[in-house]
Every structure is written in structure tokens, then in C-alpha cells.
Amino acid sequence: MHYQTKTIVQQSLDALSENQAFLIDLKGEERNRAFSSLASILSTPNKVHKSFLRMPLENGKVVRIPSFRVHHNDTFGPYKGGIRFHESVNEEEVINLAFLMTLKNSLHNIPFGGGKGGIVIDPREYSLKELNIISRKYVQYFADVIGPDKDIPAPDLGSSEREMDWMMAEYKSIKPGQPYRGSFTGKSVVNGGSLGRREATGKGVYFSFRYMLHDFLTNQKDWLIKNDTIYAKTAIEEAKHPLKIAVQGFGNVGSVAALEAHSCKYLQNKVVAVSDRNVTLHNEDGLDILGLVKFIAGNENDLPSTNEQLEKSGIKATILDRDNLLTLNVDVLILAALEDQIHRKNMEQIKAKIIVEGANAPTTAEADKYLSEKGVIIIPDILANAGGVIVSYFEWLQGRKTQFYNEKEVFDMLYLQMKETMDTILPKFFGDSFPLRQNCYIHSVMKLSVVLYKQGKLY
Ligand code: NAD
């Protein structure tokens, strides 16, 4: 793992510290001390909770399953972040993901802090009953540190509304008579979940790309032509229509983002490749994304991986090795699988001019620097994939009021919230020489710094 979060936060603090108009009252030695305090506060989690769940398996054995809940920062409100069910979960990863949640919520003005959880299991290796017990045990072990006004978990990789329903029900049994609807988000609609939550991240990922390339730039063309900022110009001038798009990961986020790209009215797109944990499917004329969405629904969420399956489902595609997707000759790469997918070994072969990070931290620090310097635009995770937490916030609000929005209201509010963030960030990005990720971090860190300063936390 090559976490870059700390480094970019430090660079953001350095840039803010040099700007004497920012926190103008802080001068000289006092200013240095305050910025050093900010670096320590922001780069360290408030608390790391770790437990070993005692789990009786159906085969009669008892095992201990490591699990985590990290509270990174609660400056803006209760901690908020998903619970990952994956065999590679580890403490350092969960801390980094919680850190990203702090930055994401600050960036998008969501009144939550940053948290994250993880359970070290491959969920495919457990029965339904065992998964139910593991989910409930997680709540039993962490019941005192979670809750609607303390820390609100949600689904992440390997977990879904099913686990959130189980977890909320367990929380309700452990804390009778207390508010429980807001204890978990990403629940099913019948259990108090929000309409649109399942699609929210994928829709937001595509929206961030479309908004930059279409809505924002349509009115800014002249300004862009006059502007010599290398990051912006190369990528946008070289991306030819129809835009060839490849999507890595065809789960909750990737399949929805692919569908949005496929059916977009504003940009001419061709989704020419998608991949999952097994294969890449490629078709230069564009893939049948609707057909693939239908296929995965009946096939444990896996894409067709043999010619026989392709033929049977009427989908025209060539099967390639899984990681071939990343280096295909496309204009846009949407990364919606795992961390560290673009790295030192493949960064020089990346041909896309625009990368959209649906997953968290899919580009290593080294690859990020290399590609940004080459003029590739990377729409970073904290900007692009916030749809899930934004609609989770709507779910939490709806649970408090026990009044629910319809789907159109949810998506309208989601796009409005993302538009407001992008309207703040994009003029800065096109107007200075920092990559988009750095611009987003500066903005997030700036907001956190002001509040921490005003709360007297820097002395
Ligand atoms: P998911 O489990 O629904 O889907 C993951 C997809 O990635 C699957 O299609 C899987 O087969 C595929 N995959 C796994 N390993 C792969 C590999 N090496 N190469 C290509 N594909 C691979 O998960 P999701 O909810 O879609 O989340 C995807 C990413 O987005 C995760 O990193 C998650 O943290 C991030 N994210 C999700 C949400 C959300 O609301 N679901 C919100 C923010 C960020």
C-alpha cells in the first residue's frame, strides 16, 4: 500500500500556511505552531477500535475474526463510513479510508466526520447464516462506539443493504427504546433506507465526469483556450468524441457508472470495455451494458467469463485478461474496483486522458504524480465517489423525520450538492497549476483548519 493521503494533506497545509490571507490572525511562530498542530491532528485518527469476533462456524469450529472501527475525525459531526468485508482488510488501510471520509465530507459540506470499519473475511467463503452472525457480532462488539449521533456505518466493498438491515436490527435489540434508524445507512428501503442510495455512488461518479466535461466546460471554452494550465488542456483537447470509456469493476459502483455513461444524453460515449475480478470484456463498437447488468443479476454478480456464456446471453465481446482493461486505448478510465490499481508497473502504459476514481485510492502516489505531470486529469475519489455518503446523509435525515423523499428528489439533491462542490473546485483547478486532487484536498483541509482554529483546538 502506498497511501498518499497524509502527504497531500501536508502539501495542502504547506500551501495554506504560505497564503498569509488564510487565518490572517496567525503570524510568525504562532502560525508555524498552529500549522504543525493541524498536521498532527489531521494525520492521526482520534481512535482505532479493534476486536476479534468470536465466531462459531457451521462446521462446529470457533474462529476469531479480526475487525476494526476507526474514528478519524469528528470536527463536522458524527463519524461516518462504510464497513468493508474483505480478506485484505488491515488496520492501516481502514485508517486511510477513514481519513479519506473526513476529507470527503468536508469537501462536500456533509455534516459528518470520517470513520471506517472492516472485517477480515472473504464473504464468499461463509454461509448466509454465518454472515448474519458475523454482522450481528460486529454490532455487539462495537455497540458502544456507534450510534446515530456518534458513528454511522454504511456498506462498503463486500457488504450491502442486507448486512445493514441485519446490523440495524441488532443495534435496535441492544439499545431498546433508543433512536435506531440513523444508526446505519445504506439499508433497504423497507427498513428505512433511502430511494436511490444503491445507485447514488455510481451516478455521482459519472456525474462528476459529465459535469466537468459538459456542463462546466461548455460555458468556459474561451477561458480554457486562453489558459495555459497543462493539467487541463492536454486531456480535454485530446479526448475525441465519441469518448471511448473503460470501466474497471462491474459491481454496485461500476455497473451503475457504466450504465450512466452508456445512456448519457449530454456526451457521446462508447463503453468499450468493462472488467471484474475475473475478466475484461472488450468491444470497440461499444458493449451491451444493459445486457451485462441483466447477466450479472442472475450470475452472482460476475460478468460472463466464457464464450459460451457470452453467446448464450447474446453479448458481443472479446474476453481479455482482467488487468488488460487498464492499458486499453481509451479516452476515459473509470476505476470502480479496489485500491492501488494504477501503480509504478503499469502507469507508463495508461493511455486514458481522463481517469475517474469511483473506488477509494485506486491510483498510487507515484502513478498519480506521473500521470498528472503528463497532463492526465484524475477526478479524485473524494470528489467523484461521494454520492454514497451524500445520499446516506439524506437517509439519515429522512430517518430522523420519518418522512421520505421520492427518487427524483434524491437524485436532484445529490446532483445539486455535487454541482456546488464542483463549481467551487473547478474554477480553481482550471485557474492554477495544482492537480485536481490537490485542489480538492486544499479545499477540504482549509475548511477543517478554520473550524479547528475557531474551536481553540490548535493551542
Ligand atoms: P462491489 O463489491 O459491488 O463491486 C466490486 C467490483 O469490482 C466487482 O465487480 C468485482 O468483481 C470487481 N473486482 C474485484 N477485484 C477486481 C480486480 N482486481 N479487477 C477488476 N475488478 C475487480 O463494490 P462497490 O460497492 O461497487 O465498490 C467498488 C469500490 O468503490 C470500492 O473500492 C469501494 O470502497 C468504493 N466505493 C463504494 C461506495 C458505495 O457506495 N458502494 C462508495 C464510495 C466508494
Side-chain angles (χ1 to χ4, degrees):
M1 298 282 168
H2 315 275
Y3 298 124
Q4 56 178 337
T5 323
K6 259 189 198 178
T7 315
I8 307 185
V9 165
Q10 186 58 59
Q11 286 163 355
S12 306
L13 285 170
D14 292 345
L16 288 169
S17 163
E18 276 166 30
N19 174 3
Q20 296 296 329
F22 177 67
L23 294 181
I24 198 162
D25 296 343
L26 285 171
K27 301 210 179 346
E29 214 18 63
E30 197 193 355
R31 189 171 183 84
N32 294 342
R33 273 199 303 273
F35 276 89
S36 154
S37 311
L38 280 167
S40 334
I41 294 170
L42 294 177
S43 64
T44 327
N46 285 353
K47 211 148 199 181
V48 176
H49 305 277
K50 181 172 181 178
S51 279
F52 294 87
L53 311 179
R54 188 181 56 77
M55 176 60 203
L57 297 176
E58 286 193 288
N59 65 12
K61 282 190 196 155
V62 170
V63 290
R64 289 283 211 169
I65 299 178
S67 57
F68 304 91
R69 191 70 201 161
V70 171
H71 289 169
H72 179 262
N73 187 289
D74 62 349
T75 299
F76 285 122
Y79 302 102
K80 181 89 190 82
I83 304 173
R84 179 166 289 198
F85 287 43
H86 198 273
E87 62 277 18
S88 70
V89 162
N90 61 75
E91 188 170 322
E92 199 194 350
E93 177 190 72
V94 187
I95 292 173
N96 188 55
L97 291 168
F99 196 167
L100 286 173
M101 288 304 296
T102 299
L103 297 170
K104 198 183 298 183
N105 288 331
S106 170
L107 177 66
H108 291 277
N109 276 331
I110 306 292
F112 289 140
K116 200 81 183 185
I119 307 183
V120 189
I121 54 164
D122 175 356
R124 289 172 184 257
E125 288 183 358
Y126 292 83
S127 70
L128 188 70
K129 193 169 167 201
E130 288 170 335
L131 286 173
N132 173 277
I133 298 173
I134 293 169
S135 303
R136 290 194 289 115
K137 288 258 173 182
Y138 185 88
V139 181
Q140 290 162 17
Y141 278 61
F142 294 110
D144 286 339
V145 299
I146 57 180
D149 290 306
K150 281 188 193 165
D151 175 10
I152 308 137
D156 192 66
L157 204 69
S159 57
S160 66
E161 63 180 33
R162 182 183 67 184
E163 286 74 18
M164 297 307 111
D165 286 355
W166 292 340
M167 288 182 165
M168 183 199 73
E170 186 64 16
Y171 183 82
K172 187 173 174 229
S173 315
I174 297 173
K175 309 258 174 182
Q178 291 190 26
Y180 61 89
R181 279 194 192 80
S183 55
F184 288 83
T185 61
K187 306 182 292 292
S188 66
V189 172
V190 291
N191 257 313
S194 177
L195 288 167
R197 170 63 183 85
R198 193 188 62 77
E199 300 88 348
T201 306
K203 277 188 176 266
V205 165
Y206 183 72
F207 178 80
S208 68
F209 162 74
R210 182 204 101 191
Y211 191 79
M212 173 190 276
L213 239 75
H214 179 267
D215 309 47
F216 184 78
L217 283 179
T218 305
N219 304 320
Q220 317 285 341
K221 280 256 158 66
D222 292 346
W223 174 58
L224 180 69
I225 288 164
K226 277 187 234 138
N227 192 320
D228 260 340
T229 314
I230 176 173
Y231 294 116
K233 277 188 105 166
T234 337
I236 286 168
E237 285 171 358
E238 284 180 13
K240 302 272 184 304
H241 289 259
L243 294 163
K244 285 203 277 176
I245 300 183
V247 183
Q248 187 199 33
F250 205 70
N252 183 353
V253 179
S255 67
V256 174
L259 207 51
E260 290 287 298
H262 179 72
S263 55
C264 181
K265 294 187 296 230
Y266 303 92
L267 292 167
Q268 269 183 286
N269 297 324
K270 236 182 349 173
V271 182
V272 296
V274 298
S275 69
D276 72 357
R277 65 197 180 96
N278 304 311
V279 285
T280 285
L281 298 178
H282 181 231
N283 182 341
E284 271 303 294
D285 298 327
L287 287 163
D288 172 6
I289 300 297
L290 261 176
L292 289 170
V293 168
K294 274 191 205 140
F295 183 91
I296 63 164
N299 198 44
E300 294 191 351
N301 293 326
D302 283 338
L303 288 167
S305 56
T306 62
N307 285 326
E308 205 184 347
Q309 283 181 323
L310 282 173
E311 222 165 274
K312 231 175 161 184
S313 51
I315 288 159
K316 292 194 178 60
T318 310
I319 297 175
L320 305 176
D321 283 350
R322 183 188 73 190
D323 294 342
N324 277 9
L325 175 128
L326 296 169
T327 52
L328 288 172
N329 189 10
V330 293
D331 300 295
V332 184
L333 257 184
I334 298 180
L335 302 175
L338 300 169
E339 287 86 359
D340 292 343
Q341 295 303 297
I342 303 190
H343 44 73
R344 177 190 297 187
K345 289 195 183 138
N346 62 9
M347 64 190 188
E348 287 174 18
Q349 281 103 54
I350 302 294
K351 299 181 189 73
K353 289 115 198 154
I354 299 172
I355 294 174
V356 193
E357 295 187 337
N360 292 310
T363 317
T364 66
E366 195 176 358
D368 186 54
K369 185 168 184 295
Y370 171 82
L371 291 167
S372 297
E373 283 173 4
K374 253 182 72 178
V376 173
I377 295 180
I378 302 178
I379 306 184
D381 42 15
I382 62 167
L383 182 60
N385 73 20
V389 72
I390 293 173
V391 175
S392 275
Y393 168 53
F394 301 155
E395 179 177 339
W396 182 79
L397 282 178
Q398 293 171 87
R400 298 213 143 191
K401 294 194 272 185
T402 50
Q403 278 177 3
F404 293 85
Y405 309 128
N406 66 38
E407 200 172 71
K408 182 175 179 316
E409 287 169 326
V410 170
F411 292 138
D412 285 351
M413 290 191 307
L414 165 66
Y415 293 150
L416 185 64
Q417 191 114 6
M418 289 191 73
K419 175 183 173 330
E420 278 173 9
T421 307
M422 298 200 65
D423 284 343
T424 311
I425 297 294
L426 292 180
K428 293 193 177 119
F429 167 56
F430 287 113
D432 67 27
S433 58
F434 289 130
L436 188 51
R437 190 187 314 276
Q438 182 78 70
N439 266 292
C440 291
Y441 272 51
I442 290 178
H443 193 67
S444 272
V445 168
M446 185 177 75
K447 287 203 258 181
L448 285 157
S449 303
V450 171
V451 175
L452 285 164
Y453 171 60
K454 288 199 178 271
Q455 289 182 355
K457 299 254 173 87
L458 306 183
Y459 300 104

